[in-house]
Amino acid sequence: MTQQSSILFFTLYLAFTPIIFWLWFSYYKKEQEKFSPGFMVMLIALGALAVAPSGFFEYVAFKFLPADITFCFFNGCELISENIIRLFVLSFLVVALIEEGCKFAILTLIVKRSDKFSRLV
């Protein structure tokens, strides 16, 4: 296994681990309400589709940020402490908030309209 394929495998593992955990948790451990696996898969698919609007919002956000802040994010740079802090802030305070906010908004709209949920958990 090459280094590039092992990085890809590890990235996919990190991406799917939360999905598998929440499916397991909601189906086996949650005692209040049981949801059908089909409904849960639909919610996961809708969460994945939230990438499109979040990509647009991230594009707009990066257009308003100064180029010296976003340089390392797009072009790569040496990993010195200043650049690591810059990448951390961009990744967690810009990209993550936008992506998770879009997922939350889309799933909240779907859940509120669904008769499968009696309340938001």
Side-chain angles (χ1 to χ4, degrees), residues 16-29 44:
F16 283 101
T17 300
I19 295 170
I20 293 169
F21 170 76
W22 287 114
L23 277 174
W24 170 80
F25 178 79
S26 66
Y27 194 73
Y28 289 108
K29 292 294 180 183
I44 290 170

Side-chain angles (χ1 to χ4, degrees), residues 4-20:
Q4 186 175 6
S5 62
S6 62
I7 290 172
L8 176 65
F9 177 75
F10 183 68
T11 304
L12 288 173
Y13 172 77
L14 288 177
F16 283 101
T17 300
I19 295 170
I20 293 169

